[in-house]
Amino acid sequence: MTPAIELVGIDKSFGAVHANRGVDLAVLPGSIHGIVGENGAGKSTLMSILYGFYEADAGEIRIGGKPVAIRSPADAIAHGIGMVHQHFMLVETLTVLENVILGAEGGTLLKAGAAKARAELTRLSDAYGLAIDPDALVSDLSVGLQQRVEILKALYRGADILILDEPTAVLTPPEADALFALLAQLKAQGRTVIFITHKLREIMAVTDRVSVMRRGEMVATLPTAETSPPALAELMVGRRVLLRVEKSPREPGEPVLEAIGIAVTDAKGVERLMDISLTVRAGEIVGIAGVAGNGQSELLEVLAGVIQPSHGAIRIAGELIPPHRRNPARLRELGLLHVPEDRLRMGLVPSFPAFESAALGFTGDPAFARPAPFGALFDRAAMVDHTRRLMDGFDVRPPDPWLRSSKFSGGNQQKLVLAREIERGPKVLLVGQPTRGVDIGAIEFIHRRLIALRDAGVGILLVSVELDEIMGLSDRILAMCGGRITGERRAEGTDAQDLGLLMGGVSEVAA
Amino acid sequence: MSAPIELPRWADVALVPAVSVVAAFIVAGLVVVGIGENPLTVTRILVTGSIGSADAIGFTLYYATNFIFTGLAVAVAFHAGLFNIGGEGQATLAGIGVSLACLNLPFLPAPLLIVAGILAGAAFGAVWALIPGWLQATRGSHVVITTIMFNFIAATLVVYLLVNVMGRAGSMSPETAEFPAASHIPSAREVLGALGIAQPSTPLNLSLALALAAAFGVWLLIYRSRLGYAIRTVGASPGAAIYAGISPGRIVMVAMAISGALAGGLAVNELMGAQHRMVLGFTAGYGFVGIAVALMGRSHPAGIVLAALLFGALYQGGAELAFETPTITRDMVVVIGGVLILFAGALEGLFRRLVARTLTVAAPRRAREA
Amino acid sequence: MDLQALAVILDSALRLSVPLLCACLAGLWSEKSGVVDIGLEGKMLIAAFAAAAGAHASGSALIGLAAGIGASVAFSLVHGFAAISQRGNQIVSGVAINMLAAGLSAIVGNAWYGQGGRTPSLEGDARFGDIALPGADAFAAVPVVGPLFREVVSGHALPAYLAFLAVPLTWFVLARTRFGLRLRAVGEKPAAVDTAGISVPLLRYAAVIICGVLCGIGGAYLAVAQAAAFLPNMTAGKGFIALAALIFAKWRAWPALGACLLFGLLDAGAIRLQGVSLPLIGPVPVQAIQALPYVLTVILLAGFIGRAVPPAASGVPYVKER
């Protein structure tokens, strides 16, 4: 059978980053083809090339066996390729109809094409059960509905080949199920679907064939039926994965962090967290498992004082924290330290030299100040020395305190942030996505340091989208869904399937 | 792709600004040719007119003083990620503050009256910048637009005050009475004369020392102090600032106030140092040129002092030029300022790319030759 | 106030609002596409100079208008190049445009004409005459409406009618056409436009050019219709009041007309209210009325009355995410 799409020898670099190296891919028509790989493996870049968003440095794209030039999304659309981006390409101030016809308006005047478009939209909506009001403003739609608009956009343009980039990252489990049903329906009509994810469960559930990418290379393409999650995981990371990190059992101590009935409402008035109560004890790691966007980020930020709760109380080491002291600087003084999820936006200042980033949050340290009366001025030698010690202790490379923070690799940036927080001797450490975008070697190092910290009696709250990481490090696991805690498990008494159900909102109360 | 263009440090701080200055002068030269003058003659007049005599140097430094103040004002706001276009208005308000202090505190002895005048100017300028800062911090209105609006509000306010309230009795022109002698900042002629160095009479006065001290102070503040660290963090990464426990809103207000106070230095130099009364329109566009100065100086006080000297020389040279060649007016400086803002500011990326490309082409060649 | 006096004030308000309207709509086009433009003032100024010079040289007001538009569009393209192609800071570029225009118009004007930056007075065909609308005299006898029509609506110069015509045109194109939809989209989310297969730079350049044309009409009106020569800095902040009006109108065409007429009326009123004592308030300083547009804009921006939200992507250069 002639592949619907063939990519041959695709190569793409961004500056020093080699995002795709000689990638080959063949997708059979009328199939659902999964592409898996870790974050940064090059999946999205490859699809952006297929969609004409980027141009490949080398390689060939063939559609139905014929080589084609795809230099822009317009070319891709003309070849019947549609793409649903991970971050939706919708204009929030426009209506559904306006978004759908954008770029395919059908005439100089909108009026000319609008009636036809409206009819076609209704037909598509009915055919696929995508009930949606064409005149609703996109900003008023839920994330799940917005994704439907994205799919309708592609179908309206007559896409035979549909690319979905991490489509479930933002969906609730019922929404994801609806999406999978839709994909099956599209396949039944003979359309081709390319489905990008890093979640093996989804690959196994919906795809016919699966390709695995690792560090910019395509390492395997297999029929889904002939493989298994452990086999795929091994292909993804390139060696047998240690699901369990070495750690000895430890009896937790006194509570060091307690959240009681925390609720958070965002600027748009949407409730992000509802009635969250949790306890972290000295010497234990509490993991938060959840699909991205279900309130874990808000939980970290509210506990760290970055955002304020609308309800609820927080205790640190038994002491109730009054609202006016719930800010990061005060909490730090009480021994609550925080490794934020997004190190480039929060954890450090990319344009600062490393020694200044290493002082972020601690500029009030008397060790960094000149003697009176010049106490408002920095003693830079002390800051540089301090940074050098952090770099030695955490093997940050290159160990150059003067190097701009942005010039370190992701793993080394993360080690610097961890070093800064851990070396302050926290009572409680909040850790968000400790190994996102971090190379394998550094991951092991970071995991070992976190375990050591726990063994030293620090209470750690760990948020990660990597379920393996949560299961491997945590003593106790809380699952979150839709801004609520949906269940609690001992790490040794659970597995991915059990947690997956909890993350999907199948709460114990409801069940 | 738009990856940031990495350049060696020397190229970053010296070569890129220098290339944009040269390019700006080439454009200005084309304008000169376009109106039928000889650019070489014009350059000669500019140079001798600005640094060719003690007299000329005095004027050049006097103008440079203004540019140091307004350039620093823009730069401090830049470091906090803010674009303060309101230097004109802030200096105008500072002028009112200076006048109020100088005219209403005649009982103070000379040094104290001068200090009072400087503080009043700084305070009025700070408040006029603080309001837009406060509006951005608490109400989310962008300082760019509010400071523009505040320039115009200041302009109408000062007309009203000079015509109806503070105006010189019996005078139709919008200006205050002459400030008491005790409020006059000593001129360079007086100071150097006391040291036995003869100086021609120019408006140059000790405000220059104040401006240089301000430049040093800003350097300490921005690069060496906790507050400066907070300002730079807010400017570079508001997320990191919040994470660190720095309140961006508070820093926005503080940075704007400092910026406005620095713009107030323009009023000190002009009114207390030179004109000895408040006159309408004394800000004369120095506030806007301050943007060019800050961009060219890459928001670093040392760079700003150098850029201010360049603009001071252009201003003074431009005056001579207007005198000697009737076809060219001092607006030439405004043109050069505009081109420089375009080149060193809006088109910075283009110039950085050009320099980067030239360097990468040159580097292997050098290696081969070596 | 009798009808005649009212007509005079309204007529003058209309005249004063024309340059505001041109610049305001110009800003609307630019900012709707995501390019912030604080260089409206400068573009109008250089257009005023070019229009006066062109009209003087050719003896034709129309050629003057064309020259004004040409100069303004040229400056627009400089801004566009910096903002769109080079992804430079749009505020910085706008400041540069304003300074360049102020400096160049003064220098070149002085070099060419030697009158301190003024251009020679325009006479006859070199200046736009007032156009009497058909029926202006015929209906003059109709009470109230007739005289108002003749005095206020009729009797303006060509660029003024172009400006007022631009209001429905702007509304129609933005709301009802393919180009308008794409433009609205690109100012809110350029990535959505890009992935829909439409060129972001082309759309933005188109908007910036329209912005230049409108500023050109405004500048030409100032020098070749309202006045009969170019005077240094003759825009006197109108480009910034237009910016204020744009915020006031929340980036919409019809409200822009309303805001510009209001600001024009304030201006016309300020001239006439000089020294007049209002009941209860007493004599109002003319400066207070002059400052009113700016004060109102600040209050509006601060969200004390309503909320003014600019297009989401305005001022942000489009960079493909990686």
Side-chain angles (χ1 to χ4, degrees):
Chain A
M1 193 160 22
T2 315
I5 286 201
E6 239 183 316
L7 300 176
V8 185
I10 298 291
D11 220 88
K12 177 74 181 171
S13 295
F14 297 100
V17 183
H18 207 156
N20 285 164
R21 301 166 197 260
V23 174
D24 295 329
L25 173 71
V27 179
L28 300 178
S31 72
I32 300 181
H33 193 115
I35 299 181
V36 284
E38 291 186 297
N39 290 323
K43 305 171 302 235
S44 292
T45 301
L46 187 68
M47 289 305 112
S48 293
I49 288 169
L50 177 55
Y51 192 63
F53 206 53
Y54 301 134
E55 246 187 291
D57 299 333
E60 192 175 90
I61 301 173
R62 292 180 200 147
I63 293 181
K66 291 189 199 69
V68 293
I70 297 182
R71 291 207 184 79
S72 72
D75 292 341
I77 293 166
H79 285 106
I81 301 173
M83 182 157 177
V84 175
H85 295 83
Q86 187 179 359
H87 304 288
F88 301 148
M89 294 299 174
L90 297 173
V91 185
E92 299 216 327
T93 52
L94 300 183
T95 66
V96 170
L97 184 69
E98 287 174 320
N99 267 288
V100 168
I101 62 174
L102 183 67
E105 296 86 349
T108 315
L109 296 183
L110 293 180
K111 211 175 171 182
K116 209 179 110 250
R118 189 180 291 274
E120 174 69 4
L121 197 58
T122 313
R123 194 188 65 74
L124 286 171
S125 298
D126 291 347
Y128 296 99
L130 300 173
I132 208 157
D133 173 10
D135 297 313
L137 281 182
V138 165
S139 55
D140 293 339
L141 301 181
S142 70
V143 172
L145 286 179
Q146 291 190 4
Q147 189 176 62
R148 290 185 183 183
V149 179
E150 279 280 63
I151 295 172
L152 281 172
K153 243 170 87 176
L155 295 177
Y156 180 78
R157 287 162 171 72
D160 285 323
I161 299 156
L162 194 63
I163 308 166
L164 297 113
D165 189 1
E166 301 274 4
T168 57
V170 292
L171 297 184
T172 62
E175 285 174 334
D177 288 342
L179 174 70
F180 295 154
L182 173 66
L183 297 187
Q185 203 182 343
L186 291 171
K187 176 186 154 186
Q189 293 174 343
R191 293 189 215 244
T192 308
V193 176
I194 301 179
F195 182 87
I196 301 170
T197 184
H198 66 277
K199 294 179 192 160
L200 302 177
R201 218 158 31 90
E202 295 174 352
I203 289 291
M204 300 310 292
V206 298
T207 64
D208 301 307
R209 287 163 65 82
V210 54
S211 297
V212 184
M213 288 190 77
R214 182 171 75 222
R215 295 190 178 187
E217 288 179 84
M218 189 63 82
V219 289
T221 296
L222 308 153
T224 309
E226 292 170 20
T227 184
S228 66
L232 287 175
E234 198 181 324
L235 285 167
M236 271 164 67
V237 293
R239 52 156 204 182
R240 202 160 286 284
V241 196
L242 282 176
L243 284 181
R244 295 281 163 188
V245 185
E246 291 295 322
K247 75 174 200 260
S248 49
R250 189 187 192 287
E251 200 53 43
E254 291 296 304
V256 286
L257 173 68
E258 293 159 273
I260 306 124
I262 296 282
V264 166
T265 308
D266 71 9
K268 287 182 183 165
V270 179
E271 282 201 302
R272 292 293 175 184
L273 289 181
M274 281 155 271
D275 193 27
I276 298 280
S277 296
L278 59 84
T279 302
V280 178
R281 293 168 183 278
E284 78 168 340
I285 297 180
V286 176
I288 304 285
V291 178
N294 276 283
Q296 308 95 307
S297 306
E298 287 81 359
L299 178 61
L300 268 189
E301 293 189 352
V302 76
L303 293 176
V306 171
I307 56 175
Q308 294 302 318
S310 51
H311 292 289
I314 295 168
R315 285 173 191 273
I316 292 176
E319 190 192 337
L320 191 68
I321 309 300
H324 69 274
R325 299 190 68 183
R326 280 191 213 126
N327 79 61
R330 296 284 88 75
L331 293 172
R332 232 171 240 127
E333 288 165 7
L334 293 171
L336 179 136
L337 301 187
H338 175 201
V339 177
E341 288 188 301
D342 189 338
R343 59 179 167 270
L344 288 176
R345 271 191 54 249
M346 270 199 180
L348 36 76
V349 182
S351 58
F352 282 8
F355 75 88
E356 285 192 337
S357 278
L360 189 66
F362 301 100
T363 48
D365 184 345
F368 293 161
R370 284 177 183 272
F374 301 110
L377 297 181
F378 283 135
D379 177 353
R380 299 224 295 183
M383 295 169 77
V384 170
D385 279 351
H386 174 75
T387 308
R388 208 162 264 140
R389 280 196 302 276
L390 294 181
M391 290 176 149
D392 286 348
F394 279 74
D395 189 29
V396 177
R397 278 177 274 184
D400 177 2
W402 290 90
L403 191 66
R404 196 186 282 217
S405 308
S406 59
K407 292 205 171 177
F408 291 87
S409 72
N412 283 302
Q413 288 172 343
Q414 189 70 320
K415 285 196 276 187
L416 186 63
V417 174
L418 272 161
R420 180 183 70 206
E421 303 298 313
I422 290 176
E423 291 300 299
R424 290 279 161 181
K427 282 200 189 84
V428 192
L429 186 67
L430 308 175
V431 186
Q433 319 295 351
T435 55
R436 178 185 280 171
V438 167
D439 50 289
I440 301 274
I443 289 177
E444 278 188 6
F445 179 89
I446 290 168
H447 284 173
R448 274 192 282 113
R449 292 307 289 239
L450 289 176
I451 296 289
L453 205 60
R454 158 212 184 245
D455 292 344
V458 177
I460 298 176
L461 185 76
L462 170 72
V463 166
S464 173
V465 291
E466 304 299 333
L467 204 51
D468 290 346
E469 185 167 78
I470 292 284
M471 291 195 295
L473 290 178
S474 308
D475 297 302
R476 208 148 49 83
I477 299 170
L478 302 173
M480 282 187 75
C481 180
R484 293 176 188 278
I485 292 181
T486 49
E488 177 175 341
R489 294 285 186 269
R490 302 290 315 169
E492 58 274 12
T494 186
D495 56 27
Q497 195 181 7
D498 177 36
L499 286 175
L501 284 173
L502 293 177
M503 286 157 60
V506 185
S507 130
E508 289 164 304
V509 189
Chain B
M1 281 307 293
S2 61
I5 307 141
E6 296 288 353
L7 287 173
R9 198 172 150 71
W10 64 272
D12 217 15
V13 299
L15 190 57
V16 175
V19 170
S20 18
V21 170
V22 170
F25 276 93
I26 291 172
V27 171
L30 291 176
V31 173
V32 169
V33 173
I35 57 179
E37 296 287 338
N38 181 345
L40 292 178
T41 318
V42 165
T43 310
R44 189 181 50 75
I45 298 173
L46 266 180
V47 172
T48 52
S50 56
I51 53 170
S53 64
D55 198 64
I57 292 174
F59 272 94
T60 291
L61 292 177
Y62 157 68
Y63 292 126
T65 306
N66 286 338
F67 293 127
I68 294 175
F69 280 123
T70 55
L72 289 174
V74 174
V76 168
F78 265 158
H79 279 292
L82 300 163
F83 204 147
N84 176 12
I85 310 193
E88 291 279 309
Q90 289 140 23
T92 302
L93 259 284
I96 294 172
V98 163
S99 307
L100 287 176
C102 292
L103 293 171
N104 292 305
L105 305 169
F107 47 84
L108 288 179
L112 284 184
L113 185 56
I114 290 175
V115 171
I118 293 171
L119 290 180
F124 272 62
V127 168
W128 204 244
L130 182 62
I131 303 170
W134 172 72
L135 287 172
Q136 167 149 344
T138 62
R139 314 288 313 185
S141 37
H142 218 287
V143 290
V144 168
I145 302 288
T146 26
T147 51
I148 291 175
M149 299 301 146
F150 268 58
N151 281 343
F152 286 101
I153 297 171
T156 48
L157 178 66
V158 79
V159 171
Y160 173 73
L161 289 177
L162 285 182
V163 171
N164 300 356
V165 183
M166 296 168 65
R168 187 151 56 101
S171 161
M172 284 305 289
S173 63
E175 60 181 35
T176 64
E178 170 131 2
F179 295 169
S183 72
H184 298 184
I185 293 179
S187 71
R189 183 183 160 92
E190 286 161 7
V191 175
L192 292 175
L195 298 174
I197 305 167
Q199 266 286 310
S201 175
T202 66
L204 179 63
N205 61 82
L206 272 189
S207 301
L208 174 63
L210 183 66
L212 293 174
F216 181 69
V218 166
W219 177 77
L220 273 184
L221 168 77
I222 295 295
Y223 296 103
R224 291 290 185 273
S225 80
R226 274 210 298 279
L227 177 60
Y229 181 98
I231 289 175
R232 283 185 293 130
T233 305
V234 168
S237 174
I242 296 170
Y243 160 78
I246 300 165
S247 155
R250 198 179 69 87
I251 292 298
V252 161
M253 291 195 277
V254 169
M256 282 302 284
I258 295 172
S259 175
L262 286 164
L266 171 57
V268 172
N269 184 43
E270 279 293 322
L271 306 185
M272 293 170 67
Q275 310 200 25
H276 303 144
R277 61 167 68 80
M278 165 100 173
V279 294
L280 198 60
F282 74 89
T283 54
Y286 291 114
F288 288 119
V289 180
I291 298 167
V293 172
L295 286 171
M296 246 191 74
R298 303 192 63 80
S299 297
H300 190 288
I304 286 169
V305 170
L306 288 175
L309 286 173
L310 175 71
F311 272 96
L314 277 174
Y315 236 64
Q316 166 54 17
E320 286 297 310
L321 192 60
F323 185 69
E324 294 206 15
T325 35
T327 51
I328 297 183
T329 61
R330 213 156 133 183
D331 299 296
M332 198 67 211
V333 184
V334 180
V335 174
I336 296 176
V339 179
L340 261 176
I341 292 180
L342 194 64
F343 286 179
L347 294 177
E348 194 205 355
L350 180 70
F351 281 88
R352 289 178 69 84
R353 260 198 300 286
L354 281 178
V355 168
R357 197 168 302 156
T358 319
L359 286 180
T360 46
V361 168
R365 187 178 305 152
R366 259 206 314 278
R368 262 201 314 278
E369 284 164 2
Chain C
M1 197 183 289
D2 62 27
L3 191 63
Q4 187 57 36
L6 180 69
V8 168
I9 288 192
L10 289 181
D11 179 58
S12 138
L14 220 60
R15 285 170 197 275
L16 289 167
S17 68
V18 170
L20 299 183
L21 185 58
C22 289
C24 186
L25 292 173
L28 191 152
W29 278 97
S30 185
E31 299 205 356
K32 270 284 175 193
S33 83
V35 179
V36 163
D37 194 351
I38 64 166
L40 301 170
E41 172 89 357
K43 284 200 276 279
M44 236 177 2
L45 187 63
I46 202 72
F49 173 73
H56 174 71
S58 68
S60 154
L62 275 176
I63 289 180
L65 176 64
I69 290 175
S72 171
V73 168
F75 270 52
S76 276
L77 289 174
V78 171
H79 183 57
F81 178 69
I84 304 165
S85 300
Q86 294 300 322
R87 304 187 188 105
N89 184 317
Q90 301 174 9
I91 303 290
V92 172
S93 170
V95 170
I97 293 287
N98 286 335
M99 285 180 67
L100 270 178
L104 274 181
S105 60
I107 280 224
V108 177
N110 187 63
W112 282 357
Y113 305 109
Q115 299 180 12
R118 276 185 63 109
T119 61
S121 290
L122 302 171
E123 284 161 4
D125 286 345
R127 209 181 149 208
F128 283 110
D130 292 345
I131 300 171
L133 293 184
D137 288 324
F139 294 114
V142 181
V144 186
V145 180
L148 281 184
F149 182 75
R150 191 177 65 186
E151 301 299 329
V152 181
V153 179
S154 173
H156 293 282
L158 176 70
Y161 290 114
L162 287 179
F164 288 109
L165 197 65
V167 177
L169 210 61
T170 297
W171 169 80
F172 180 80
V173 173
L174 281 177
R176 295 294 164 90
T177 70
R178 175 172 64 191
F179 175 60
L181 174 66
R182 292 176 173 189
L183 204 79
R184 280 183 285 143
V186 81
E188 289 287 339
K189 189 152 186 181
V193 170
D194 195 356
T195 50
I198 309 161
S199 161
V200 172
L202 274 184
L203 271 176
R204 289 192 164 166
Y205 269 110
V208 158
I209 289 172
I210 295 172
C211 168
V213 170
L214 285 164
C215 281
I217 296 174
Y221 178 80
L222 279 174
V224 187
Q226 202 174 47
F230 172 82
L231 305 171
N233 195 29
M234 80 183 302
T235 44
K238 290 188 172 63
F240 293 108
I241 298 200
L243 217 53
L246 180 60
I247 293 162
F248 235 73
K250 300 184 179 173
W251 294 267
R252 291 170 300 172
W254 288 108
L257 174 64
C260 291
L261 286 174
L262 173 69
F263 289 174
L265 189 64
L266 282 176
D267 202 358
I271 299 163
R272 274 161 192 80
L273 281 176
Q274 191 126 34
V276 177
S277 185
L278 291 185
L280 296 177
I281 308 170
V284 177
V286 62
Q287 291 84 15
I289 300 169
Q290 283 168 346
L292 207 52
Y294 306 115
V295 176
L296 286 175
T297 303
V298 170
I299 293 173
L300 182 79
L301 270 174
F304 292 117
I305 38 167
R307 203 94 189 86
V309 185
S314 64
V316 189
Y318 177 55
V319 182
K320 280 187 186 185
E321 272 183 73
R322 162 146 144 57

